[in-house]
Amino acid sequence: MAAKGPKEAARRVDELRNLVRHHDRRYYVLADPEITDYEYDQLFAELNELEAQFPDLQSPTSPTQRVGGKPLPSLKQVEHVVPMLSLDNSYSREELEAWYARLGRELGHEPADLAAELKIDGVSISLVYVDGKLERAVTRGDGTVGDDVTTNARTIRQLPLEVDGLPSLVEIRGEVYLARSTLEQLNHERRREGQREFANPRNAAAGAIRLLDSREASRRRLGLWCYQVARAEGHEEDSHVASLEWLQELGFPVSPGLERCVSLAEVEAFIDRWEQRRGDLDYDTDGIVVKADSAAERAALGSTARSVRW
């Protein structure tokens, strides 16, 4: 039932947004829903009705804004404050061991710890939050300049649009992907409509995140895993793994394949485990990313013009 006055409506809208965000996280991030779809739809419908009745209460970070808006004439180009550099590739255990030995030579000692995680086969994206609200989402592009895809990113149900507890300025890197099961459903629909099928999840995700019509992007049902905190004013974390655990605690989706390893042998064991298990995932992976876990060591190792050394 709609609230009778603006003050009561404002209180109820705030309550409903928090409830919907909570249940979105339970469903889309944790895969552990607490209420039925019908109960969720009732909450969402009440929020939608109140925002329509009281336009002053509408907000771009409201869960109701995920459905998408009017098509854009074009995508704006945005320069990355922190360049999105490439990763070096390694195709054998020998190359991995050579990389690890090089880290030791450049640091003057073996790395304190390593971080191992799944490399999601998707599209890299930069997410900037200002005062806890999603301000901008930009594709990697050429690493220096990317496309502003904020309206499409808002349709990703795992991505929180407003987060309590964030510093005033935070930039998060993530990978936008399409689940295998979603691709199958989309291709079934496209076959029925006589449209060309998507070749693979990555191509479908890359096309969807750059669509000019965010309503169509919403229908593609994109997913997201966060893999890096690029900057966070007032929040320093020396450990890469700890920074991702911090994001997870705040409600961001972080890949379940994340582990701190104290040696290269532990990394190799991690690779062996996931080589057997990655076929069971509902999304594609194209390798394992191995990083120096310490921010101080990463800073000491630096980067080339193209890729990071750590």
Side-chain angles (χ1 to χ4, degrees):
M1 181 180 294
K4 294 181 179 179
K7 288 185 179 180
E8 185 183 352
R11 286 194 295 269
R12 181 59 177 162
V13 163
D14 188 56
E15 180 183 15
L16 286 167
R17 285 175 181 165
N18 287 331
L19 282 170
V20 171
R21 289 182 188 119
H22 170 78
H23 291 300
D24 276 347
R25 181 169 186 258
R26 298 295 309 187
Y27 188 94
Y28 293 104
V29 179
L30 302 179
D32 185 23
E34 295 176 332
I35 60 176
T36 66
D37 289 350
Y38 174 78
E39 290 170 320
Y40 177 90
D41 289 344
Q42 292 297 106
L43 293 172
F44 195 92
E46 183 184 353
L47 175 59
N48 211 25
E49 180 184 344
L50 283 171
E51 289 181 344
Q53 185 179 353
F54 298 92
D56 289 347
L57 298 179
Q58 292 177 5
S59 167
T61 60
S62 173
T64 60
Q65 299 306 300
R66 291 190 186 277
V67 295
K70 294 180 180 179
L72 298 170
S74 63
L75 297 176
K76 293 188 298 183
Q77 298 279 290
V78 177
E79 184 174 356
H80 295 294
V81 174
V82 180
M84 296 185 73
L85 299 177
S86 300
L87 300 175
D88 281 335
N89 293 321
S90 176
Y91 297 100
S92 69
R93 299 297 173 96
E94 290 75 21
E95 289 181 2
L96 178 62
E97 290 167 1
W99 168 81
Y100 184 75
R102 191 183 77 236
L103 294 194
R105 289 194 301 273
E106 294 183 4
L107 290 171
H109 56 80
E110 289 188 351
D113 286 309
L114 297 171
E117 56 201 272
L118 299 173
K119 187 176 184 300
I120 312 303
D121 192 11
V123 182
S124 293
I125 195 169
S126 164
L127 304 161
V128 176
Y129 285 78
V130 177
D131 295 330
K133 298 179 180 180
L134 179 64
E135 180 81 7
R136 179 167 287 172
V138 182
T139 62
R140 180 182 180 275
D142 64 4
T144 301
V145 176
D147 292 320
D148 186 334
V149 292
T150 308
T151 54
N152 290 341
R154 291 184 190 279
T155 70
I156 300 174
R157 303 303 290 259
Q158 291 101 321
L159 177 63
L161 303 181
E162 188 170 359
V163 183
D164 292 331
L166 276 182
S168 59
L169 178 62
V170 176
E171 182 179 356
I172 298 164
R173 302 280 164 81
E175 196 81 359
V176 174
Y177 71 94
L178 194 74
R180 292 171 179 169
S181 57
T182 301
L183 179 71
E184 185 176 336
Q185 293 169 10
L186 290 173
N187 277 341
H188 175 74
E189 294 168 5
R190 293 175 77 83
R191 285 194 299 271
R192 189 176 58 201
E193 296 168 1
Q195 298 184 54
R196 184 177 178 181
E197 294 182 31
F198 296 118
N200 54 59
R202 189 188 187 284
N203 286 357
I209 198 63
R210 298 185 70 254
L211 287 169
L212 297 179
D213 190 343
S214 58
R215 292 168 297 188
E216 178 59 30
S218 178
R219 286 191 282 270
R220 299 282 178 93
R221 302 188 288 280
L222 294 169
L224 173 78
W225 292 119
C226 298
Y227 63 78
Q228 184 185 359
V229 178
R231 51 187 174 132
E233 291 188 356
H235 180 91
E236 293 188 10
E237 194 78 66
D238 186 55
S239 164
H240 169 70
V241 172
S243 69
L244 291 182
E245 291 172 342
W246 172 65
L247 285 185
Q248 197 166 34
E249 290 170 1
L250 290 170
F252 287 91
V254 173
S255 173
L258 171 68
E259 190 172 312
R260 183 186 287 109
C261 302
V262 299
S263 66
L264 191 60
E266 285 195 9
V267 169
E268 292 176 329
F270 178 94
I271 293 170
D272 291 337
R273 285 198 305 275
W274 280 105
E275 184 60 33
Q276 301 300 318
R277 296 172 54 189
R278 69 191 188 102
D280 298 329
L281 299 171
D282 193 29
Y283 49 89
D284 285 351
T285 63
D286 57 349
I288 302 292
V289 180
V290 185
K291 306 173 182 176
D293 184 57
S294 164
E297 290 183 347
R298 293 198 302 273
L301 291 163
S303 63
T304 66
R306 188 189 71 88
S307 61
V308 295
R309 288 194 175 99
W310 36 264

